[in-house]
Amino acid sequence: MNHEKATYPKDPDLPSTITFLPWEGPAILLVDLDAFFASVEQLDHPEWRGKPVIVGGDPDRRGVVSTCSYEARAFGVRSAMASSIARRLCPEAIWTCGNHARYAEISKQVMDILQEYTPFIQQVSIDEAFLDVSPGRYIKDHPILMAKRMQEQVAELGVTCSIGLGSSKTIAKIASDRDKPCGLTIVYPGCEMEFLAPLPVRDMSGIGRKAEQHLHDLGIYTLADLAKADEQLLKTIFGKNAHMMRERAFGRDATPVTNDHEVKSVSNEVTFSTNVIEQSEIRQAIAMIATKVGRRLRRNKLAGYTITLKARHDDLTIHTAQQTLNKAVDDEREFIDVLYELLPEVWRPGDELRLLGVGVSSFNVHDEQLALFGSEELDTNKRATRTLKRSLIEATDKVKDRFGEDALMYGRELRFIDKRTNTIAQEGDD
């Protein structure tokens, strides 16, 4: 099933199956599940296998492609593409809005497999994970042999993965993208520059379209160019990260694989199929989105102090506003009013909004203001009311956990069912 592996150094006599060149020093893997959402859909719908499948929002409602099968990619469809464009490129595609719970289930099964190989694993997204398989105390097998076994075990689940193997996370990440699907790209220690030098700068994570254009304006097109560039010049693009980016272009990246990923924010945003204009409608949308954020906070056992409201206008400009509270919250009823207060900072009457987003962050412990005065009876009544409300929201969460997110909905949510684009990748824990 696996492709013939790509290996650096490029040695035609390098054994391809049983024995391998010795590996000395750090060995980092990046395991990337191939077209993951679409692959799970093809797994669950055998009749879709071999056909173009697109997981994304409604083409008629400003939806966006979350991912697509390789059959759809042959038509030019790509992730983050507007669904309307994807439909024109591939009119025969099978469309689905996706099933995040199912994707999370398969993702966990994959991560359980990977954890059998090393205690040093860092899951960076639902379909990607770094693993430190450096030979030593915990690792006795050759890294290439381990990578091959991982691919075989993942394939038994009905999905496939591509793997990059190198001496650092930077090398492993770039290598994982070189040969898809089912590829295995190996960069031996000491061969980093041979591998990186000819690649375009955009291949390195952290370099987006704007940075790429700025680099091109300076005559920097490849990672070799970036490695040789003057660091002071790079500061005009990357600021304080200029040295780090240059070192990564050299293949020098000592960032460790850590399994203590800290969630910094929980957010949700909705792109509307038609613009929202009226204040009452916007407030209802805010309440609907806040409800989803509150649920995600409680699911992750998080409570945050900083509340953020985001709005994208019809001209595509984005405005944000935030407020920090004096206590941490995980119940949307405690921060919806704050969002209403922030609304005038991102929207004026008459403005048309394409998107609204709500986020909660600052999960670290703050010193909270305590009341100095107040009757004991009033405090008791407040505590009883708070306990009752908490019981109600916990009961609501349990219903949704058992029967699905749509099993119990507020009227404000029902109103926006026909306005959502149904794009799955619209909420995140960053």
Side-chain angles (χ1 to χ4, degrees):
M1 165 174 267
N2 294 345
H3 287 183
E4 188 67 26
K5 67 181 186 300
T7 308
Y8 298 81
K10 295 179 180 178
D11 183 349
D13 297 324
L14 182 67
S16 60
T17 53
I18 300 175
T19 60
F20 309 102
L21 294 176
W23 193 285
E24 297 181 1
I28 309 298
L29 293 175
L30 190 282
V31 178
D32 185 4
L33 296 170
D34 299 317
F36 181 49
F37 294 173
S39 294
V40 174
E41 294 296 340
Q42 289 177 321
L43 171 66
D44 292 346
H45 302 87
E47 69 276 15
W48 293 0
R49 295 173 189 172
K51 298 179 180 179
V53 174
I54 298 176
V55 180
D58 194 322
D60 297 319
R61 298 182 181 178
R62 295 177 178 167
V64 175
V65 175
S66 297
T67 192
C68 60
S69 67
Y70 286 94
E71 294 85 357
R73 296 183 189 193
F75 289 85
V77 180
R78 295 290 182 269
S79 298
M81 174 181 285
S83 296
S84 57
I85 296 176
R87 181 170 60 181
R88 289 200 298 270
L89 292 172
C90 190
E92 302 302 318
I94 298 168
W95 285 80
T96 175
C97 62
N99 182 344
H100 198 279
R102 176 60 172 155
Y103 306 151
E105 176 187 352
I106 297 295
S107 174
K108 184 179 185 305
Q109 293 176 19
V110 172
M111 297 305 156
D112 287 345
I113 289 173
L114 302 184
Q115 287 174 345
E116 296 175 1
Y117 288 86
T118 174
F120 308 111
I121 178 171
Q122 179 181 354
Q123 183 174 358
V124 291
S125 67
I126 194 171
D127 59 353
E128 283 186 303
F130 285 106
L131 293 85
D132 187 335
V133 293
S134 304
R137 177 180 175 185
Y138 294 99
I139 309 298
K140 303 301 180 183
D141 290 331
H142 196 287
I144 299 177
L145 183 60
M146 298 176 71
K148 285 178 167 288
R149 288 175 179 167
M150 290 177 197
Q151 284 187 313
E152 292 170 357
Q153 284 190 265
V154 170
E156 291 174 0
L157 297 177
V159 295
T160 64
C161 65
S162 295
I163 297 179
L165 168 60
S167 58
S168 69
K169 292 169 78 172
T170 293
I171 298 293
K173 171 60 178 174
I174 296 176
S176 70
D177 290 328
R178 302 311 298 169
D179 186 19
K180 286 178 168 289
C182 311
L184 172 57
T185 300
I186 303 156
V187 183
Y188 271 89
C191 300
E192 290 85 0
M193 280 307 297
E194 175 188 345
F195 170 67
L196 293 174
L199 301 179
V201 290
R202 187 68 183 275
D203 281 6
M204 180 176 288
S205 60
I207 299 180
R209 291 180 181 176
K210 290 184 179 180
E212 179 187 35
Q213 186 57 57
H214 289 319
L215 289 169
H216 286 179
D217 292 342
L218 296 173
I220 299 171
Y221 294 92
T222 68
L223 292 178
D225 296 334
L226 180 59
K228 293 182 293 186
D230 181 78
E231 193 168 306
Q232 292 302 315
L233 193 62
L234 295 179
K235 283 185 178 180
T236 63
I237 301 174
F238 300 115
K240 65 181 180 180
N241 294 322
H243 178 73
M244 177 192 71
M245 297 300 289
R246 187 167 178 267
E247 287 293 289
R248 290 176 62 195
F250 270 114
R252 299 192 288 254
D253 174 14
T255 307
V257 173
T258 58
N259 56 12
D260 58 346
H261 175 60
E262 180 184 0
V263 176
K264 296 181 180 180
S265 67
V266 172
S267 62
N268 179 265
E269 59 185 42
V270 171
T271 299
F272 304 106
S273 57
T274 57
N275 292 347
V276 290
I277 304 172
E278 300 298 328
Q279 184 177 32
S280 60
E281 190 175 34
I282 292 171
R283 286 167 64 97
Q284 288 181 326
I286 288 172
M288 175 196 72
I289 300 168
T291 298
K292 294 181 179 296
V293 172
R295 176 152 164 72
R296 290 174 67 81
L297 287 167
R298 295 187 293 276
R299 184 187 301 159
N300 288 283
K301 296 180 173 57
L302 294 170
Y305 291 85
T306 300
I307 312 301
T308 300
L309 178 64
K310 170 182 175 182
R312 177 178 290 144
H313 291 240
D314 190 51
D315 61 2
L316 301 183
T317 58
I318 296 176
H319 301 269
T320 60
Q322 63 181 209
Q323 181 175 329
T324 299
L325 309 181
N326 60 11
K327 71 169 187 173
V329 293
D330 68 353
D331 184 341
E332 60 273 11
R333 293 169 303 179
E334 296 183 337
F335 61 83
I336 284 177
D337 286 341
V338 176
L339 292 165
Y340 292 159
E341 292 173 4
L342 292 173
L343 181 58
E345 298 185 36
V346 302
W347 173 83
R348 293 179 180 178
D351 290 349
E352 298 187 21
L353 300 183
R354 297 170 60 96
L355 172 148
L356 279 168
V358 171
V360 176
S361 57
S362 299
F363 301 126
N364 53 310
V365 177
H366 292 193
D367 292 328
E368 297 186 3
Q369 184 80 29
L370 298 178
L372 297 177
F373 306 101
S375 73
E376 182 177 347
E377 179 181 0
L378 180 61
D379 289 344
T380 300
N381 289 338
K382 283 185 175 180
R383 284 197 298 269
T385 301
R386 188 178 297 116
T387 299
L388 180 61
K389 289 182 176 179
R390 189 69 187 185
S391 298
L392 177 61
I393 202 164
E394 288 176 355
T396 300
D397 286 341
K398 288 180 180 179
V399 171
K400 291 187 175 185
D401 287 340
R402 182 171 182 181
F403 298 106
E405 295 300 316
D406 295 337
L408 195 158
M409 301 177 71
Y410 293 98
R412 59 183 176 244
E413 295 177 85
L414 292 172
R415 175 169 181 171
F416 282 93
I417 285 180
D418 292 334
K419 276 188 172 289
R420 293 180 295 186
T421 65
N422 292 323
T423 302
I424 194 169
Q426 291 180 295
E427 56 185 40
D429 303 339
D430 303 320

